[in-house]
């Protein structure tokens, strides 16, 4: 089982027996079928969802001269030219998952755009893809475009113009190209403000890299249905990024809720060293974030925290990472009366005091401290009366670190890094047994090497059973 940032279950793994039963029922009902495991008597044309591991010409022979009814197709491993042929056989295809297909390159992506995929609503591509063709504009019904696994750097403007696109995932740039045609198209889009406001259905932009040539801030200003925005500020290139346009786009995003009924809004800003080279951005964030946003993530060096005044006190989820702020800055967060989830990814939290009466609604507190010289916040007796989950993810954690869980009468779980010493594990388990609620002691292990990401694991038997990494980046 894996948990996401709001402490709810994100993924799970069923028992082996239940998994086999589910697969059996899916096959019997012709819901899911695998060409690799189908018997000769099975007809692949009757299945609604097909998945293939290592698509080959042998697989395609089984599909020859059959009108496939599959609405969804997933291909793992290698696909080659056989995958393109397989896609062409699925005339009713609505979902195409190539995220784990490791050789579906740019030419093959361009090839499937020529096929009849007019009904396609979901498309995900894998690591072999480095660019998208302009022909993607033919996918008029596309609802979700997943590029997180790809190496696509820049998007063609045709993606933004897709009439039914709602969710766009990846880490891409949208630049104003130098060609006369591209410049004219982009200028027409930006100048036609009413058309963008009325026609754009985008709710998720997660996310875009903003640099000196980016035009996405100019487009965001007119996108009234956005609910989730993730932005990386690239301050490493030459030239000056127009932070005023980015500021205006952010202001428009957080204020739009006042005029619409879209619902919860999530804003993620990855600032890098932007505030050191361009401190005016920090001033804009501090002063101008006036509006409504329910979830806010900030990663990068900050001069000080944003000004969480009455216009932003509706935040329920806050994540701060690598801000290099001093502990007393975090104490100011206590005036966020609606805050339920707080996640801090910092090397040192010394000086952070959680006082009685602050954080009255906080239920989940997650502290990730990669440094050996860690320091946990001081929690006064009687503070955090609604705390349900406490996550102390630091492999160097020693003992209780000054935290008395008996003061938190509603506590249901404590999560530790699975790399902590057995002495620390035993100490926390003993303390949990003495608690009236007897909260569960859970364990999470570090996965991957490029960012701080944890997944649930079993209780370690020895300290060497984890193998946690040392790199640092906040979990997405």
């Amino acid at each position: 089982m894996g948990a996401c940032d709001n402490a709810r279950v994100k993924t799970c793994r069923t028992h082996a027996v239940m998994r086999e039963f589910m697969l059996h029922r899916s096959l019997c009902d012709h819901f899911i079928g695998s060409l690799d495991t189908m018997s000769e008597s099975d007809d692949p044309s009757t299945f609604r969802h097909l998945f293939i591991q290592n698509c080959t010409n042998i697989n395609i022979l089984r599909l020859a001269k059959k009108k496939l009814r599959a609405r969804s197709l997933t291909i793992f491993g290698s696909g080659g030219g056989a995958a393109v042929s397989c896609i062409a056989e699925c005339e009713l295809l609505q979902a195409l998952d190539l995220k784990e297909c490791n050789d579906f390159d740019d030419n093959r992506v361009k090839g499937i755009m020529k096929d009849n995929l007019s009904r396609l609503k979901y498309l995900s591509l894998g690591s072999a893809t480095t660019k998208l063709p302009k022909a993607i504009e033919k996918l008029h019904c596309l609802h979700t475009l997943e590029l997180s696994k790809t190496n696509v750097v820049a998007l063609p403007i045709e993606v933004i113009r897709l009439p039914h696109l709602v969710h766009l995932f990846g880490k891409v740039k949208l630049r104003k190209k130098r060609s006369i045609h591209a410049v004219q198209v982009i200028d027409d889009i930006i100048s036609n403000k009413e058309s963008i406001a009325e026609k754009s259905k985008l709710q998720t932009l997660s996310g875009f890299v903003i640099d000196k040539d980016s035009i996405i801030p100019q487009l965001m200003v007119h996108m009234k249905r956005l609910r989730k925005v993730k932005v990386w500020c690239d301050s490493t290139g030459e030239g000056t990024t127009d932070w005023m346009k980015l500021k205006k786009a952010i202001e428009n995003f957080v204020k739009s809720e006042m005029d619409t009924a879209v619902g919860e809004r999530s804003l993620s800003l990855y600032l890098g060293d932007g505030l050191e080279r361009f401190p005016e951005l920090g001033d804009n964030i501090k002063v101008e974030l006036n509006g409504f946003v329910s979830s806010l993530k900030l990663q990068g060096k900050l001069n000080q925290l944003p000004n969480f005044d009455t216009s932003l006190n509706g935040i329920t989820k806050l994540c701060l990472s690598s801000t290099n702020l001093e502990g007393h800055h975090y104490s100011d967060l206590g005036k966020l009366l609606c805050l339920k989830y707080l996640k801090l990814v910092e090397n040192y939290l010394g000086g952070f005091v959680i006082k009685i009466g602050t954080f009255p609604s906080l239920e989940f507190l997650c502290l990730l401290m990669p440094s050996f010289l860690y320091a946990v916040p001081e929690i006064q007796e009687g503070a955090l009366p609604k705390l349900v989950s406490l996550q102390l993810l630091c492999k160097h954690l020693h003992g209780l670190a000054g935290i008395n869980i008996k003061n938190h009468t509603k506590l249901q779980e404590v999560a530790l890094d699975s790399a902590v010493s057995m002495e620390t594990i035993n100490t926390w388990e003993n303390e949990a047994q003495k608690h009236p609620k007897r909260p569960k002691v859970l364990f999470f292990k570090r996965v991957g090497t490029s960012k701080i990401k944890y997944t649930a694991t079993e209780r370690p038997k020895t300290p060497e059973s984890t193998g946690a990494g040392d790199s640092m980046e906040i979990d997405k």
Side-chain angles (χ1 to χ4, degrees):
M1 181 183 70
C4 58
D5 283 345
N6 59 9
R8 297 177 181 175
V9 175
K10 186 176 182 180
T11 60
C12 65
R13 183 173 59 186
T14 62
H15 190 277
V17 175
M18 180 58 68
R19 177 179 178 274
E20 291 299 323
F21 173 75
M22 293 168 63
L23 288 175
H24 175 72
R25 289 300 305 169
S26 297
L27 289 171
C28 291
D29 296 340
H30 289 189
F31 179 69
I32 297 178
S34 170
L35 288 185
D36 305 296
T37 59
M38 282 184 188
S39 63
E40 293 295 331
S41 59
D42 291 326
D43 184 2
S45 65
T46 61
F47 289 86
R48 291 181 61 85
H49 176 77
L50 289 175
F51 62 94
I52 309 172
Q53 185 170 2
N54 298 323
C55 187
T56 63
N57 291 327
I58 296 177
N59 298 130
I60 302 305
L61 289 176
R62 296 197 60 185
L63 304 177
K65 299 181 180 180
K66 293 182 181 292
K67 292 184 178 181
L68 299 180
R69 300 178 183 178
R71 267 62 168 181
S72 177
L73 175 64
T74 301
I75 300 178
F76 297 86
S78 60
V84 177
S85 301
C86 183
I87 294 169
E89 297 291 340
C90 302
E91 297 180 354
L92 303 178
L93 202 61
Q94 295 184 15
L96 178 57
D97 185 359
L98 301 171
K99 187 162 45 180
E100 302 299 331
C101 188
N102 53 34
D103 64 348
F104 207 85
D105 57 19
D106 300 338
N107 290 330
R108 293 183 176 119
V109 172
K110 189 174 182 179
I112 64 173
M113 299 299 171
K114 299 177 181 178
D115 298 323
N116 185 17
L117 294 177
S118 59
R119 297 179 175 85
L120 199 65
K121 296 181 178 180
Y122 174 89
L123 174 62
S124 67
L125 299 171
S127 58
T129 305
T130 61
K131 63 180 180 180
L132 294 179
K134 295 181 180 179
I136 196 172
E137 62 185 356
K138 297 179 181 179
L139 306 182
H140 297 287
C141 295
L142 198 63
H143 181 278
T144 302
L145 180 58
E146 171 62 80
L147 303 175
S148 299
K149 289 275 188 177
T150 70
N151 288 300
V152 174
V153 176
L155 283 184
I157 192 64
E158 285 76 11
V159 172
I160 300 298
R161 300 179 70 184
L162 289 170
H164 299 288
L165 189 65
V166 176
H167 305 294
L168 176 59
F169 298 95
K171 187 177 180 180
V172 294
K173 297 181 180 181
L174 187 64
R175 291 173 169 170
K176 192 170 184 177
K177 297 183 178 179
R178 298 182 182 276
S179 67
I180 297 177
H181 172 71
V183 171
Q184 183 178 357
V185 169
I186 293 171
D187 287 342
D188 289 343
I189 293 176
I190 295 175
S191 61
N192 194 359
K193 299 178 182 178
E194 293 183 0
S195 177
I196 290 180
E198 294 176 359
K199 294 182 179 180
S200 176
K201 296 183 179 181
L202 273 170
Q203 295 181 18
T204 304
L205 277 175
S206 180
F208 270 91
V209 178
I210 306 297
D211 60 11
K212 63 184 181 66
D213 296 321
S214 178
I215 64 166
I216 193 61
Q218 297 166 265
L219 300 180
M220 277 180 56
V221 170
H222 309 295
M223 296 177 180
K224 302 299 182 181
R225 302 186 185 184
L226 287 177
R227 298 179 59 181
K228 181 176 182 180
V229 173
K230 183 181 291 187
V231 175
W232 286 270
C233 299
D234 183 6
S235 59
T236 59
E238 296 181 359
T240 301
T241 300
D242 194 340
W243 297 117
M244 293 304 295
K245 290 180 179 179
L246 176 58
K247 178 184 76 73
K248 185 177 180 180
I250 293 174
E251 286 179 359
N252 178 79
F253 171 69
V254 298
K255 287 180 178 178
S256 294
E257 176 62 17
M258 298 177 181
D259 304 319
T260 63
V262 172
E264 294 186 357
R265 291 177 177 270
S266 172
L267 174 63
S268 301
L269 294 176
Y270 297 81
L271 305 173
D273 65 347
L275 295 186
E276 291 186 342
R277 297 184 60 187
F278 307 103
E280 64 270 21
L281 177 62
D283 295 334
N284 293 332
I285 293 176
K286 180 186 69 175
V287 178
E288 303 293 348
L289 264 182
N290 298 317
F292 174 81
V293 60
S294 55
S295 175
L296 178 62
K297 296 183 181 181
L298 296 177
Q299 179 178 1
K301 296 179 180 179
L302 294 173
N303 297 324
Q304 57 184 313
L305 286 174
N307 185 17
F308 295 108
D309 56 13
T310 55
S311 61
L312 274 182
N313 63 11
I315 291 177
T316 59
K317 176 182 175 182
L318 177 63
C319 301
L320 301 175
S321 176
S322 306
T323 61
N324 289 345
L325 293 172
E326 296 182 3
H328 67 273
H329 286 110
Y330 299 109
S331 300
D332 296 336
L333 300 175
K335 61 185 178 182
L336 297 176
L337 303 180
C338 298
L339 192 65
K340 292 184 177 181
Y341 181 94
L342 176 62
K343 179 177 182 179
L344 301 176
V345 185
E346 302 290 350
N347 286 326
Y348 189 77
L349 293 171
F352 179 18
V353 181
I354 300 177
K355 301 179 181 179
I356 301 175
T358 61
F359 301 100
S361 303
L362 196 67
E363 298 178 4
F364 305 95
L365 177 60
C366 179
L367 305 175
L368 278 73
M369 298 166 287
S371 174
F372 178 81
L373 298 174
Y374 71 93
V376 300
E378 177 188 344
I379 304 177
Q380 293 184 351
E381 184 176 355
L384 304 182
K386 295 186 178 181
L387 190 66
V388 174
S389 176
L390 175 63
Q391 299 181 2
L392 298 173
L393 301 179
C394 174
K395 66 179 182 179
H396 306 293
L397 186 70
H398 179 69
L400 300 177
I403 294 178
N404 187 358
I405 62 173
K406 292 180 181 179
N407 296 331
H408 310 294
T409 57
K410 296 186 178 181
L411 193 65
Q412 297 180 10
E413 66 179 30
V414 175
L416 302 175
D417 191 312
S418 59
V420 298
S421 67
M422 292 304 298
E423 179 183 358
T424 297
I425 291 175
N426 293 331
T427 300
W428 277 98
E429 289 178 338
N430 292 335
E431 195 69 14
Q433 287 295 319
K434 299 175 185 177
H435 192 280
K437 285 279 187 179
R438 293 195 174 184
K440 298 179 181 178
V441 179
L442 308 176
F443 299 93
F444 289 81
K445 67 177 180 179
R446 290 274 293 273
V447 293
T449 57
S450 61
K451 59 185 177 181
I452 289 184
K453 186 174 183 180
Y454 279 86
T455 184
T457 187
E458 297 179 356
R459 182 187 188 276
K461 296 180 180 179
T462 61
E464 291 78 15
S465 61
T466 56
D470 291 321
S471 56
M472 180 175 180
E473 183 180 338
I474 193 170
D475 185 13
K476 294 182 179 180

